[in-house]
Amino acid sequence: MTKKDHKTSDTLIGHISISGKGIGYFNTQPEKGRDGESWEIQKEFLNHAFPGDTVEVRKRAELFYGRPQAEVVSVVSHAKMEFVGTIEMDPEGKSADAYVVPDDRRMYVDIKVKMQKAKGKNEEKEEKMENGMKVLVKITEWKKDADMPEGEILEIIGRAGENETEMRAIALEKGFRSQFPEEVEESAHQIKKEESDPKVIAAEIKNRRDMRDTWTCTIDPADAKDFDDALSIKKLDDHTYEIGVHIADVSYFVRPGTALDTEALKRACSVYLVDRTIPMLPEILSNDLCSLNPNEDKYTFSAVFHITESGDVIDRWFGRTVIHSDKRFSYEEAQ
């Protein structure tokens, strides 16, 4: 469905945006933002491009209500191939085809699926495919002369309108999955096993500034599940204090090039929805090894300052540390 970058003298390559009416827009001067010249692309000239795709376009001679027009010559790369939508089946069960109506209003066509292949599985529980259910579908092909693309159902999300269904649909539509690939989970559990070895712990602590005897605390919302930063304070003399700001040393556990690193890079961050968190790292890391839980030794990166009573910084130090949080405060308790 994609072609290699083969820009010619009369074509431009860039990102396409598509409105809910199926009209494409191509900014010929992205460096100018909204002030750049924009070409309009009518639906019949989108050439199977999806919202956000990188496309090669060519300007057309005609104007439409005074607006310059263009056409997509080819799709260089698709921004996404998986969409959340509602499945529409033949109510009489005579047709082997069903259609997924995408939730994304910018997706201007439905996606055809074969019912005999519609065996998507729900991450949370078993679900039976029914008309009107929310599903996650992956586009597999869009034949040249076909009115719409074809796809396969990856997952049955649930019944439309239910809170659990809609919340998971929002996350999946944006590319966030609750579950991690099996190899990522295995890597996380292997790290947990290795880091339980007293010899490994002792060897690593030797490489760090030991601040476990300094009074330390975390301050987070009352319903927080993980704690990634902490504060420490120590009185040095009658006029000077040592203040430490500590952040969980995630890089110690997530090494470059590993399955964990690849998955974390793909997710980019943890996602906080109204009633749930979709973490960037498996729970054994995000809520355990990399969480600065109270009464546990933890590896951190720290900024340590010597500060006078008047607030003057007279010394500073940055580096790897090991800390031991004495208290987990909520915001209200700390206040």
Side-chain angles (χ1 to χ4, degrees):
M1 297 179 64
T2 63
K3 296 182 179 180
K4 293 183 178 180
D5 183 340
H6 57 279
K7 176 180 176 294
T8 62
S9 58
D10 64 337
T11 64
L12 295 175
I13 288 178
H15 294 96
I16 187 174
S17 60
I18 299 177
S19 72
K21 295 181 178 180
I23 305 298
Y25 297 91
F26 184 89
N27 191 340
T28 65
Q29 301 167 301
E31 69 279 1
K32 293 185 178 181
R34 293 185 178 181
D35 294 329
E37 182 186 15
S38 181
W39 294 346
E40 196 173 78
I41 305 173
Q42 302 303 316
K43 185 182 293 187
E44 61 267 31
F45 298 117
L46 287 174
N47 195 17
H48 300 181
F50 301 145
D53 284 357
T54 300
V55 296
E56 179 184 11
V57 302
R58 178 188 295 116
K59 190 173 185 180
R60 296 178 62 82
E62 71 272 16
L63 297 177
F64 190 79
Y65 290 102
R67 297 187 293 270
Q69 300 294 298
E71 62 182 331
V72 174
V73 176
S74 66
V75 176
V76 178
S77 64
H78 288 296
K80 61 182 292 187
M81 296 293 282
E82 296 180 6
F83 295 86
V84 168
T86 303
I87 191 162
E88 293 187 354
M89 303 160 56
D90 179 0
E92 298 181 0
K94 295 179 179 179
S95 174
D97 294 331
Y99 303 90
V100 176
V101 181
D103 284 0
D104 188 342
R105 295 178 60 188
R106 301 171 304 163
M107 187 59 180
Y108 53 95
V109 290
D110 296 341
I111 303 164
K112 182 188 294 187
V113 294
K114 295 291 184 182
M115 284 312 300
Q116 62 264 34
K117 296 183 179 179
K119 298 180 180 179
K121 188 176 182 181
N122 189 302
E123 279 188 359
E124 309 294 337
K125 60 182 179 179
E126 292 292 335
E127 287 278 15
K128 180 182 178 182
M129 181 74 72
E130 294 178 5
N131 194 47
M133 297 189 84
K134 291 265 189 177
V135 297
L136 176 66
V137 61
K138 179 179 181 180
I139 293 177
T140 56
E141 183 182 26
W142 193 344
K143 296 177 181 178
K144 184 177 181 180
D145 299 323
D147 294 332
M148 64 184 67
E150 298 178 13
E152 61 176 327
I153 294 176
L154 299 179
E155 183 178 337
I156 303 170
I157 302 172
R159 290 172 176 78
E162 294 182 355
N163 178 72
E164 179 64 22
T165 297
E166 298 300 335
M167 293 301 291
R168 293 188 61 244
I170 291 172
L172 288 170
E173 175 60 37
K174 298 302 181 182
F176 296 105
R177 291 177 178 270
S178 299
Q179 290 189 335
F180 288 84
E182 187 175 342
E183 64 173 332
V184 174
E185 290 283 6
E186 289 177 353
S187 296
H189 281 85
Q190 182 61 31
I191 290 173
K192 172 69 173 178
K193 181 179 178 180
E194 293 172 355
E195 292 302 319
S196 299
D197 186 339
K199 292 182 180 179
V200 173
I201 295 172
E204 179 56 29
I205 288 177
K206 288 181 180 180
N207 298 324
R208 296 173 177 269
R209 179 171 173 173
D210 194 339
M211 299 187 68
R212 289 177 291 178
D213 291 335
T214 302
W215 190 87
T216 304
C217 71
T218 58
I219 306 175
D220 294 275
D223 59 352
K225 299 295 188 298
D226 53 70
F227 318 103
D228 54 15
D229 48 52
L231 296 171
S232 66
I233 183 169
K234 178 193 288 187
K235 188 173 184 179
L236 300 178
D237 55 44
D238 289 341
H239 305 289
T240 312
Y241 294 86
E242 178 188 271
I243 305 297
V245 181
H246 313 278
I247 189 86
D249 186 1
V250 179
S251 64
Y252 172 75
F253 301 101
V254 182
R255 307 295 171 82
T258 62
L260 276 169
D261 179 51
T262 300
E263 183 67 16
L265 182 63
K266 177 182 176 181
R267 293 181 177 236
C269 62
S270 294
V271 179
Y272 297 89
L273 299 178
V274 174
D275 62 349
R276 72 199 64 201
T277 298
I278 302 174
M280 182 175 67
L281 299 170
E283 186 174 359
I284 199 170
L285 291 176
S286 60
N287 288 6
D288 186 0
L289 293 177
C290 298
S291 183
L292 307 183
N293 304 323
N295 305 313
E296 296 178 7
D297 294 348
K298 295 294 180 179
Y299 300 147
T300 49
F301 267 110
S302 303
V304 182
F305 305 95
H306 289 178
I307 302 178
T308 66
E309 286 183 324
S310 59
D312 295 322
V313 177
I314 58 177
D315 192 21
R316 66 197 71 195
W317 177 90
F318 305 93
R320 283 186 165 91
T321 54
V322 56
I323 67 169
H324 186 98
S325 177
D326 297 278
K327 176 70 176 177
R328 182 261 202 232
F329 284 105
S330 66
Y331 287 145
E332 293 76 13
E333 291 172 327
Q335 188 65 39

